Amino acid sequence: MDWRAQGLCLREDPDLFFPVGGINSGLAVLQTDEAKAVCRRCPVTRQCLAWAIDVGPVEGIWGCTTEGERRAMRQRSAREPAATVNAA
Ligand code: SF4
């Protein structure tokens, strides 16, 4: 079964995973926290995060991370090629 079919976000409002407003806006912070709380309970967080990192820049909360957090992970991985998400 494809990991996407197991994501808990399928039971949530999709808009929750695409916070509105600037990164420091109150609503965006609340939405991000709420979406990450769902991701933390999700059985496929690891697969979701690996996909989101592999696919490149993609908006929204995936695998319990924001795009900014994933960008930082990609940059770290580029500096330290031996470190990968799957090795965590
Ligand atoms: S980790 Fe989060 S975004 Fe990914 S499938 Fe699970 S609930 Fe959805």
Side-chain angles (χ1 to χ4, degrees):
M1 177 189 295
D2 189 295
W3 63 266
R4 290 172 183 84
Q6 300 176 56
L8 290 185
C9 50
L10 294 178
R11 302 178 199 167
E12 303 287 338
D13 180 349
D15 289 346
L16 179 63
F17 294 82
F18 298 92
V20 175
I23 194 164
N24 293 322
S25 84
L27 180 58
V29 169
L30 285 174
Q31 282 186 291
T32 298
D33 287 350
E34 199 172 330
K36 285 184 172 183
V38 175
C39 292
R40 279 191 287 274
R41 298 191 313 271
C42 181
V44 291
T45 305
R46 190 171 165 158
Q47 295 95 320
C48 182
L49 176 57
W51 172 85
I53 288 176
D54 285 350
V55 78
V58 58
E59 288 189 31
I61 308 298
W62 296 90
C64 212
T65 61
T66 64
E67 173 47 25
E69 291 165 339
R70 292 189 298 275
R71 186 180 323 113
M73 294 169 89
R74 281 188 215 98
Q75 289 169 347
R76 272 196 307 275
S77 183
R79 283 194 305 266
E80 305 163 23
T84 66
V85 171
N86 293 328

